[in-house]
Amino acid sequence: MVAAEEQNEEKLTESKIPVFHNPNFKHSAIRFSKKRVWKNLKQILALEKSYIWPTDAVHYSNIEAPPSFTPAKKYSDVSGLPANYTDPLTKLRYANSSEFQYVRGLSMDIVNGLLEIRKANSIV
Amino acid sequence: MEGITDNIFWIKDKRVSQDAIHPYTEAEKSIPIIIDNGSYMCRVGWATDAEPRLVFRNCYAKQRKDRGKKNSTNDSEILVANDISNIEAVRFQLKSQYDENIVTHFEAQELMFDYIFTHLGVNTSTVNHPIIITEALANPHFSRQCMSELLFECYGVTNVSYCVDGLLSFHLNTKAEDGVVINIGNCSTYIMPILNGFVVTANSRRIRIGGQHLVRYLWRWLQLKYPQHLNAITLSRAENILYSNMHISENYMSELSNWADPDYFDKNVTKIQLPFYAQPSTTLSAEQLKERKREAAKRLADVNAKKREERLEEDEQELARLVELEEAMEEFTPDEAEYQHALDEAQVNTLQELQTKTSALRQRIEKLKLKIQQANTLIKDDEIEEPKPKRVNLSIPSDAEEREKCLEGIKQQWRDIHARKTARKNRRQEMAKRRTAASQERMRIISQLAKREKKEDNFGMRDEDWDVYKAINKDSGGSDSEEDDEKLQELETILKHHSPEFLGETTTKPISIAENYQLLLSIEKIRIGELLFQPSMYGIEQGGISSCLEYVLNLHSEEEQSRLVNNVFVTGATAKIPGLKKRLEKDLLTMRPFQSNFNVYIAKDPELDPWLGARAFSTEILENGMSEEEYKSLGGGFLKKHKFGNEYWTPEIPPQIVVPEVPKSGQ
């Protein structure tokens, strides 16, 4: 039963293969791995590092931009205006008293969402 | 209807139509195929085409067919690129061959190539064409190797050339040999210095912010700002809003302070109109509703009356029959067969039973008649009677001065209750949190209660004992808040009637349904574009375009710097956002020496220029391509040096990583 199904499936995929496509082609990168998993970018970069390169070679990981040299400006999480204050309870930034009231009225998931978009939510 | 009218932007969802399968003609044989393989969009065409034939999202969606059915095997339907008509419907199934801007999943890439060559109409056993394909700057050797392997061994292409999209765009737009390319892509932004026509990879930098981040930021932000429209705000709509309503501010801080001014806000705010469906019931007036109600009641009454009449008729007929039988029976004695027959007919055993039956029937008929009469008069009454107002409100004196005083009193009452309600709400919130004074007090009382000596338990003897529960109740005073609610509503109805402007301060009611479905864009209009210059707003620690540009310039000598800034060239689809040029000019002015020269150019067509560049320089690119023999002898990662591509360094790959050659079967 299972074998028949497998056959069926094979036929199905075969019929889909376009004429110009070599039906026997197998990717060398996953030809021998049982799980047939592709390396992600991080793994590829690690693999590249294990090669021996000429001294002047430049890699993908080498051209990462440096961190900012100036301190990040702080903006209100609810309006985008420059913010001078941070609510100690929700950790949201706000610009004025009316924004503070609004911040305190927000539900937890909105607060978390607002922190998340500037990656300031610490998962504890 | 898309466009801005009256500061309102009407969103219209774009639907993609399926790509046609183009005919494969003799003229196209051995013509190079140009593929601008971007991480967001892919553009494909013959080198002889004026424009790419196929433009599609570089993604596919795997959907399981007839899910839930018993006989379903694990076959699934794969929708590739423009087969997906509505991307939002398959958002969660969406996959791509990319990890950031590097192709990592080559089975997915295979799927995309199948799509490409099928739609170009290729119908020979191999793809007998040279391929020009774009890749990222400093694309890992491994990734290029897999790509070459796929193209040569799976499709049998004759020649492969790799180019970097930003470099193609640069050379197409400018004849200069020096400059800096700022390529704002989908995943990342590249700053690439070019000297003597060639990119200096060592001094190039990549910032991890691109169009995709801008769209995601806007999307999440709007969702959080308008949680009621969570599902209506989709990524595609956010993208639509981004490219039609946003600009990059020349001076972000000063423009921000403008927005703090309410007048400026009112004048410059853009309203995004989400699609909505008007509910038909809301168009009816109160009068019409009343009319409808009345009609329904009348119809019901009519049905009932008809039913009653029918029943009356039935009963009367039955009565007549029984009376007839009774009369007939009087003529016979109980012994005769006819007498028994009559009893059977009436479904009774004795004459007495028959008599009680007839009398009961008579009573029922009387009752029915009475009911019909009552119903008829009731309908008439209904028509005259107007429904009474629910509650007789406080009478408002007609005298203006008195009236003012009275209203002021009501307003004061309203304010009091409102304040009480908010105070209660706050208390509840405080109670819910730990370490607030209120909850600590509560805990203190509870622990005191628990500590109390148990020798003589007389709790509850005095009524005051029970007050302790009020003190420790989490939402204290829940019962009287209901009363307040009622009173508040009552006051609000009065106020709404007599001084509607008072409530306007606190509860703003939207005027139309359309306004309920509007998103207001204010600071967002400049904030999203600003992400490119301040990635910290997105939680990215890297510096923005300007600061990174300054860093890259500082890696060069002063003489080189002036050559570079003479030709600052911006490309990539995100460069379409207006205001970018001015902002860069302003930032360059501050970072360059006083009275020095610099020039900023934006690509003529930031989206299409890489493809057009590959087409324009196709002969030069193909001369530096890789043939099948070279692929076999030098490996798939190999590159020849040319102006439009990456630099190449030969790696020495440790033997254990080399995949052993397996004899090919069937070829």
Side-chain angles (χ1 to χ4, degrees):
Chain A
M1 183 62 197
V2 177
E5 256 176 29
E6 266 175 15
Q7 258 185 356
N8 245 341
E9 208 175 290
E10 232 165 64
K11 262 183 205 164
L12 217 125
T13 46
E14 239 170 68
S15 65
K16 274 184 194 166
I17 290 180
V19 278
F20 49 77
H21 189 127
N22 176 2
N24 300 312
F25 171 73
K26 289 217 168 66
H27 297 272
S28 65
I30 54 162
R31 201 182 290 162
F32 297 107
S33 78
K34 264 191 180 169
K35 285 183 186 165
R36 293 169 59 86
V37 194
W38 287 94
K39 289 184 177 66
N40 62 25
L41 181 57
K42 222 173 159 186
Q43 289 165 319
I44 291 174
L45 296 179
L47 175 74
E48 295 265 292
K49 273 197 182 147
S50 70
Y51 298 169
I52 300 155
W53 293 93
T55 45
D56 63 338
V58 179
H59 306 304
Y60 186 82
S61 44
N62 295 145
I63 57 167
E64 194 75 50
S68 177
F69 301 110
T70 50
K73 287 207 176 84
K74 287 172 183 161
Y75 299 99
S76 163
D77 283 309
V78 288
S79 68
L81 291 169
N84 290 328
Y85 317 103
T86 304
D87 173 17
L89 195 73
T90 58
K91 304 280 183 284
L92 287 178
R93 291 173 187 157
Y94 60 94
N96 51 44
S97 60
S98 65
E99 279 185 19
F100 178 67
Q101 276 202 334
Y102 176 75
V103 163
R104 279 297 169 91
L106 288 173
S107 69
M108 276 298 281
D109 52 331
I110 303 280
V111 169
N112 281 337
L114 288 171
L115 288 172
E116 204 187 324
I117 51 174
R118 63 175 166 94
K119 301 199 173 55
N121 59 332
S122 56
I123 304 146
V124 183
Chain B
M1 275 282 274
E2 188 171 331
I4 301 174
T5 47
D6 210 13
N7 266 356
I8 294 177
F9 176 77
W10 293 77
I11 279 197
K12 206 182 164 203
D13 292 322
K14 280 176 198 145
R15 293 224 160 214
V16 289
S17 45
Q18 284 199 6
D19 281 323
I21 294 179
H22 295 276
Y24 190 50
T25 58
E26 199 57 41
E28 278 150 4
K29 296 275 153 78
S30 76
I31 296 282
I33 300 171
I34 300 170
I35 305 171
D36 178 8
N37 199 26
S39 62
Y40 181 61
M41 294 299 269
C42 183
R43 298 166 197 88
V44 183
W46 301 106
T48 47
D49 289 344
E51 276 195 343
R53 247 170 223 228
L54 306 168
V55 178
F56 55 86
R57 281 283 298 268
N58 228 338
C59 63
Y60 65 98
K62 214 172 189 176
Q63 278 184 317
R64 294 192 79 183
K65 245 191 225 165
D66 31 78
R67 209 179 344 190
K69 275 187 192 168
K70 259 187 192 168
N71 59 351
S72 70
T73 51
N74 49 355
D75 59 302
S76 48
E77 189 185 22
I78 299 178
L79 295 171
V80 183
N82 283 351
D83 294 346
I84 306 167
S85 64
N86 180 10
I87 207 145
E88 293 306 330
V90 291
R91 180 63 74 187
F92 296 109
Q93 282 94 36
L94 226 50
K95 284 185 182 128
S96 131
Q97 67 269 44
Y98 278 92
D99 186 356
E100 291 195 31
N101 57 344
I102 301 295
V103 181
T104 59
H105 196 295
F106 285 87
E107 275 166 312
Q109 185 62 60
E110 192 179 330
L111 212 61
M112 303 314 292
F113 279 140
D114 280 353
Y115 180 88
I116 290 169
F117 299 134
T118 307
H119 284 82
L120 284 178
V122 179
N123 54 13
T124 45
S125 64
T126 55
V127 181
N128 203 13
H129 296 272
I131 304 282
I132 298 174
I133 188 165
T134 60
E135 60 176 13
L137 186 76
N139 189 26
H141 185 269
F142 174 84
S143 180
R144 190 180 307 120
Q145 200 174 16
C146 291
M147 184 69 89
S148 302
E149 181 190 81
L150 179 64
L151 283 167
F152 280 115
E153 294 187 21
C154 183
Y155 298 101
V157 302
T158 56
N159 198 303
V160 178
S161 316
Y162 294 98
C163 301
V164 175
D165 47 357
L167 302 179
L168 288 169
S169 184
F170 173 82
H171 288 293
L172 179 74
N173 278 275
T174 169
K175 295 283 166 286
E177 295 286 283
D178 305 317
V180 185
V181 179
I182 300 175
N183 185 15
I184 311 172
N186 179 47
C187 298
S188 40
T189 298
Y190 280 91
I191 313 246
M192 303 181 273
I194 290 165
L195 288 170
N196 305 319
F198 287 89
V199 62
V200 187
T201 316
N203 292 347
S204 301
R205 286 298 176 269
R206 180 185 61 248
I207 311 167
R208 285 166 182 267
I209 195 156
Q212 162 196 296
H213 302 97
L214 269 53
V215 173
R216 290 196 91 80
Y217 188 90
L218 177 64
W219 169 67
R220 258 327 259 160
W221 165 250
L222 287 177
Q223 279 191 336
L224 292 164
K225 198 174 167 194
Y226 300 96
Q228 68 271 35
H229 299 311
L230 190 81
N231 293 324
I233 301 165
T234 60
L235 275 168
S236 326
R237 284 178 182 166
E239 194 188 322
N240 189 346
I241 295 169
L242 172 67
Y243 289 111
S244 43
N245 287 288
M246 305 285 160
H247 67 270
I248 288 165
S249 172
E250 197 181 334
N251 191 339
Y252 188 61
M253 292 316 267
S254 75
E255 207 165 322
L256 263 192
S257 55
N258 285 346
W259 280 105
D261 174 25
D263 289 337
Y264 183 88
F265 183 96
D266 288 342
K267 216 181 272 175
N268 291 287
V269 71
T270 303
K271 293 165 185 163
I272 305 291
Q273 184 67 64
L274 290 171
F276 65 93
Y277 304 100
Q279 305 247 309
S281 64
T282 47
T283 55
L284 292 172
S285 67
E287 197 54 44
Q288 277 171 307
L289 277 175
K290 218 183 273 171
E291 187 58 38
R292 272 197 182 182
K293 230 181 198 171
R294 209 177 293 150
E295 266 172 35
K298 206 177 165 194
R299 218 176 301 134
L300 190 70
D302 282 351
V303 169
N304 281 339
K306 211 175 172 188
K307 257 190 201 159
R308 274 192 215 107
E309 257 157 43
E310 274 170 16
R311 209 154 9 128
L312 187 68
E313 209 173 312
E314 260 174 45
D315 284 354
E316 272 172 349
Q317 274 173 8
E318 178 74 4
L319 185 67
R321 196 175 71 94
L322 290 179
V323 169
E324 214 171 276
L325 279 171
E326 217 181 308
E327 276 165 12
M329 275 158 75
E330 274 163 22
E331 289 170 25
F332 303 103
T333 60
D335 307 325
E336 275 173 283
E338 278 86 353
Y339 186 90
Q340 207 54 46
H341 186 73
L343 278 180
D344 282 350
E345 193 96 319
Q347 289 173 337
V348 285
N349 295 327
T350 60
L351 186 63
Q352 274 80 21
E353 262 179 54
L354 182 63
Q355 276 162 350
T356 47
K357 205 173 173 182
T358 39
S359 64
L361 205 56
R362 274 207 185 91
Q363 272 177 7
R364 213 162 79 192
I365 290 167
E366 278 311 303
K367 256 189 204 164
L368 259 175
K369 277 183 178 165
L370 204 74
K371 244 188 198 166
I372 289 168
Q373 215 179 353
Q374 272 177 351
N376 282 344
T377 50
L378 231 133
I379 287 172
K380 271 175 203 157
D381 282 354
D382 252 15
E383 274 166 1
I384 306 156
E385 192 186 24
E386 272 293 305
K388 278 181 202 162
K390 259 189 184 169
R391 196 186 281 266
V392 184
N393 292 324
L394 286 164
S395 56
I396 306 291
S398 49
D399 177 41
E401 212 171 292
E402 283 283 296
R403 193 185 138 98
E404 206 50 46
K405 250 187 206 170
C406 186
L407 272 178
E408 202 40 58
I410 291 169
K411 280 178 191 170
Q412 195 49 49
Q413 270 186 48
W414 186 89
R415 280 192 207 107
D416 287 348
I417 296 177
H418 202 259
R420 211 153 51 224
K421 275 187 71 154
T422 41
R424 212 175 287 124
K425 192 181 152 204
N426 284 345
R427 200 159 57 226
R428 257 203 304 277
Q429 274 181 346
E430 293 273 282
M431 281 288 200
K433 285 166 207 148
R434 293 210 284 163
R435 268 188 289 191
T436 56
S439 72
Q440 273 178 357
E441 175 65 12
R442 178 169 168 264
M443 287 315 292
R444 196 183 58 80
I445 296 172
I446 290 176
S447 61
Q448 262 186 2
L449 279 176
K451 234 184 8 196
R452 207 177 262 179
E453 305 270 309
K454 281 194 181 154
K455 269 180 199 168
E456 212 180 321
D457 193 4
N458 58 359
F459 182 85
M461 292 280 275
R462 291 170 302 141
D463 278 348
E464 296 94 86
D465 286 352
W466 303 102
D467 285 346
V468 85
Y469 284 113
K470 251 187 206 166
I472 65 169
N473 189 7
K474 254 194 170 181
D475 29 48
S476 47
S479 56
D480 42 7
S481 89
E482 224 166 79
E483 209 173 279
D484 273 358
D485 274 347
E486 261 174 43
K487 184 82 183 153
L488 197 67
Q489 260 185 359
E490 195 181 312
L491 291 174
E492 266 173 18
T493 46
I494 301 171
L495 286 171
K496 230 182 252 169
H497 195 257
H498 295 282
S499 96
E501 74 287 347
F502 175 68
L503 285 174
E505 296 170 4
T506 46
T507 50
T508 42
K509 285 250 166 163
I511 300 149
S512 69
I513 322 160
E515 280 180 24
N516 253 336
Y517 286 87
Q518 277 174 1
L519 315 174
L520 301 186
L521 289 188
S522 52
I523 293 177
E524 293 85 350
K525 290 209 281 191
I526 51 170
R527 191 174 170 194
I528 306 302
E530 188 65 20
L531 285 176
L532 293 171
F533 292 88
Q534 295 186 44
S536 60
M537 285 157 71
Y538 194 80
I540 295 170
E541 283 173 2
Q542 289 172 327
I545 291 179
S546 296
S547 92
C548 191
L549 178 64
E550 190 172 13
Y551 173 86
V552 167
L553 289 175
N554 285 335
L555 296 172
H556 292 267
S557 70
E558 237 162 73
E559 183 264 336
E560 280 173 339
Q561 278 185 28
S562 53
R563 273 162 69 193
L564 292 174
V565 292
N566 220 359
N567 194 10
V568 177
F569 174 75
V570 191
T571 183
T574 317
K576 287 186 299 183
I577 302 177
L580 191 55
K581 185 175 184 234
K582 275 195 173 165
R583 172 59 179 271
L584 277 169
E585 278 169 350
K586 193 215 136 214
D587 285 356
L588 272 166
L589 191 67
T590 55
M591 73 174 87
R592 294 298 300 156
F594 182 58
Q595 285 191 333
S596 61
N597 282 330
F598 59 84
N599 290 300
V600 180
Y601 304 100
I602 306 269
K604 211 171 139 216
D605 187 341
E607 259 182 292
L608 219 54
D609 277 353
W611 191 91
L612 294 172
R615 191 186 62 130
F617 306 114
S618 61
T619 31
E620 197 180 338
I621 294 166
L622 286 168
E623 272 168 26
N624 294 299
M626 188 198 318
S627 66
E628 202 176 346
E629 294 80 59
E630 279 166 326
Y631 161 71
K632 277 183 180 146
S633 58
L634 298 162
F638 175 72
L639 276 181
K640 275 185 206 161
K641 192 172 179 177
H642 61 95
K643 281 202 303 197
F644 316 98
N646 272 311
E647 286 182 79
Y648 181 71
W649 293 273
T650 321
E652 225 177 280
I653 301 173
Q656 69 268 23
I657 289 175
V658 178
V659 177
E661 191 67 35
V662 169
K664 280 184 214 163
S665 53
Q667 215 188 10

